[in-house]
Amino acid sequence: MHKRLKRRPGLRTWKVFDDNMDVHETFSSLSESSLPSSVKNIFRPTMWPSECDDDLPLERCMRLYPQDQNTGGFFVAVLRKVKPLPNSSFSPSSDKVDATTSGNGGSKHEFLNYKPARDSFTLSTLQKSFHLKDSFLAQFANRLLVRTTTKAGILTLVDKQLFDHIEENKLSSRRLRPVYSGMKLCEADGRRGNIRITRAGAELMLRHCTTGVVTVSRRSARMLLHNVNHFMRCSMLDKFDTKGLQTGPCIVCVALEETSGESNDANENSSKRAKTQQPSQLVFPGQFDKEQEKLKLYIQFSKGLEGLPRATAKVYLNKLRDPLNQ
């Protein structure tokens, strides 16, 4: 294990929450609760600590948190190869890559290879959507990777050293092939063949954008969060400037301090925020439909975590209720 990988010891006990942030002590107590069946079906008995596992040294497990060393979410596992793979000439003692190729003449594993994003469709679409300044490419061009250069896909930001290794083809051996690496900035929006940006991508690109950024009121933000991942008509929201917005991804900003005359102690709030180093605004990835004049906030989730956007939205709703974001 890499010495610089920061980790925490495993846990023997933990709490299980639902989307409303209510704690359920056991699976039985959750089953007897008043939650809808559609919510109960998401939970499994194995999500709770088992009394039968007292002899298991769970403290030897590792917990990895992205905030510990500014990384994306990931999972670490130890794999031990005990026999050759079916229909494979590759052996653990060999550094040679199986020469089996796909029908197009390339390696059948070529789709897993990361490539520099300089001339990719994804980066080009991102530049067109937000008219990114030259400063963005000057700072990040040599750290952006994609898996496909001809269509929309995942764009990741990686360490310069890893980028150099990949560009020089030093990771071509099957002994070390990156499957997922870096911080995801955007991904394909399969329904329209477009792209959608992530929260990390929105925060990173914000100061490099010349268009595609919209600022909404706290009231509008609350409405959008209540309908997270669903479009809302702009006529239902407080008026905001849609100039320069095109159909596709956008960045939605929400000021945490009201600028109207209703807030008489705005200067006091600003000084308190400065002392606690709290952000002056919230930044979300969004999607805009110019033809139908619709806007939505997008919070990504993986299969099996369909309740995550609502739970995340609830956290931000609490922040927007308190002018001091506490």
Side-chain angles (χ1 to χ4, degrees):
M1 185 60 65
H2 201 289
K3 294 181 179 180
R4 295 176 60 187
L5 180 63
K6 297 179 181 179
R7 58 261 197 187
R8 305 185 191 185
L11 296 175
R12 285 189 170 274
T13 61
W14 56 86
K15 295 181 179 180
V16 179
F17 295 82
D18 59 25
D19 288 348
N20 297 320
M21 302 306 292
D22 294 327
V23 179
H24 297 275
E25 298 296 338
T26 63
F27 179 73
S28 300
S29 64
L30 179 133
S31 302
E32 297 171 359
S33 67
S34 59
L35 290 173
S37 299
S38 58
V39 175
K40 293 180 181 179
N41 292 337
I42 298 176
F43 295 86
R44 298 291 182 268
T46 53
M47 294 180 177
W48 279 262
S50 174
E51 297 179 357
C52 301
D53 295 338
D54 291 342
D55 296 334
L56 289 178
L58 296 179
E59 66 278 358
R60 298 181 186 177
C61 298
M62 289 188 302
R63 290 182 296 136
L64 307 172
Y65 288 90
Q67 64 267 27
D68 285 350
Q69 49 196 3
N70 194 25
T71 60
F74 58 89
F75 183 83
V76 174
V78 177
L79 304 178
R80 181 177 291 113
K81 189 171 185 179
V82 296
K83 62 181 180 179
L85 296 172
N87 302 321
S88 173
S89 60
F90 176 76
S91 63
S93 60
S94 173
D95 288 334
K96 295 182 180 180
V97 179
D98 187 0
T100 305
T101 58
S102 59
N104 59 8
S107 169
K108 64 180 181 180
H109 299 288
E110 185 177 0
F111 68 96
L112 287 178
N113 292 339
Y114 280 99
K115 310 172 184 67
R118 295 188 191 95
D119 301 319
S120 67
F121 176 84
T122 302
L123 182 57
S124 175
T125 303
L126 203 65
Q127 290 178 288
K128 291 178 181 178
S129 299
F130 297 97
H131 292 178
L132 295 174
K133 301 176 183 177
D134 295 338
S135 58
F136 179 80
L137 289 182
Q139 186 173 353
F140 301 114
N142 291 331
R143 295 176 56 191
L144 296 174
L145 296 175
V146 292
R147 286 182 179 169
T148 174
T149 58
T150 58
K151 59 182 180 180
I154 295 176
L155 178 72
T156 58
L157 178 71
V158 300
D159 182 80
K160 181 65 166 61
Q161 186 177 5
L162 177 60
F163 180 91
D164 292 340
H165 272 290
I166 292 177
E167 190 171 31
E168 295 170 12
N169 201 28
K170 291 182 179 179
L171 294 179
S172 59
S173 171
R174 285 182 61 180
R175 277 195 167 186
L176 183 59
R177 183 182 298 276
V179 175
Y180 188 92
S181 181
M183 180 175 67
K184 185 192 294 187
L185 302 185
C186 68
E187 60 188 0
D189 185 357
R191 293 175 300 175
R192 300 189 178 186
N194 207 323
I195 62 172
R196 56 190 178 200
I197 60 175
T198 63
R199 176 87 189 278
E203 292 179 341
L204 182 73
M205 295 188 300
L206 181 59
R207 63 188 179 91
H208 300 281
C209 297
T210 57
T211 187
V213 180
V214 59
T215 301
V216 300
S217 67
R218 292 162 63 102
R219 175 180 172 274
S220 296
R222 288 193 290 267
M223 294 176 66
L224 289 167
L225 285 168
H226 277 298
N227 295 274
V228 65
N229 289 358
H230 295 282
F231 278 106
M232 289 192 65
R233 293 192 177 277
C234 296
S235 57
M236 300 175 63
L237 308 172
D238 293 339
K239 189 175 182 180
F240 60 91
D241 187 10
T242 60
K243 184 179 180 181
L245 286 181
Q246 301 295 327
T247 297
C250 65
I251 298 175
V252 182
C253 299
V254 187
L256 290 177
E257 293 178 358
E258 298 288 2
T259 57
S260 63
E262 297 177 1
S263 183
N264 297 325
D265 55 348
N267 293 332
E268 181 182 350
N269 291 350
S270 298
S271 61
K272 289 182 179 180
R273 189 181 302 281
K275 290 179 181 179
T276 57
Q277 295 183 343
Q278 294 176 344
S280 60
Q281 65 179 358
L282 293 177
V283 180
F284 297 97
Q287 291 280 332
F288 183 69
D289 188 328
K290 185 175 182 178
E291 182 178 349
Q292 299 188 24
E293 287 288 320
K294 292 182 178 181
L295 177 69
K296 74 173 178 179
L297 296 186
Y298 175 72
I299 297 178
Q300 63 185 125
F301 62 92
S302 302
K303 185 177 180 180
L305 296 175
E306 287 78 6
L308 179 62
R310 285 192 301 152
T312 305
K314 186 174 181 179
V315 173
Y316 290 116
L317 282 168
N318 289 334
K319 289 185 178 182
L320 289 173
R321 289 192 183 102
D322 190 338
L324 289 180
N325 187 21
Q326 295 178 342

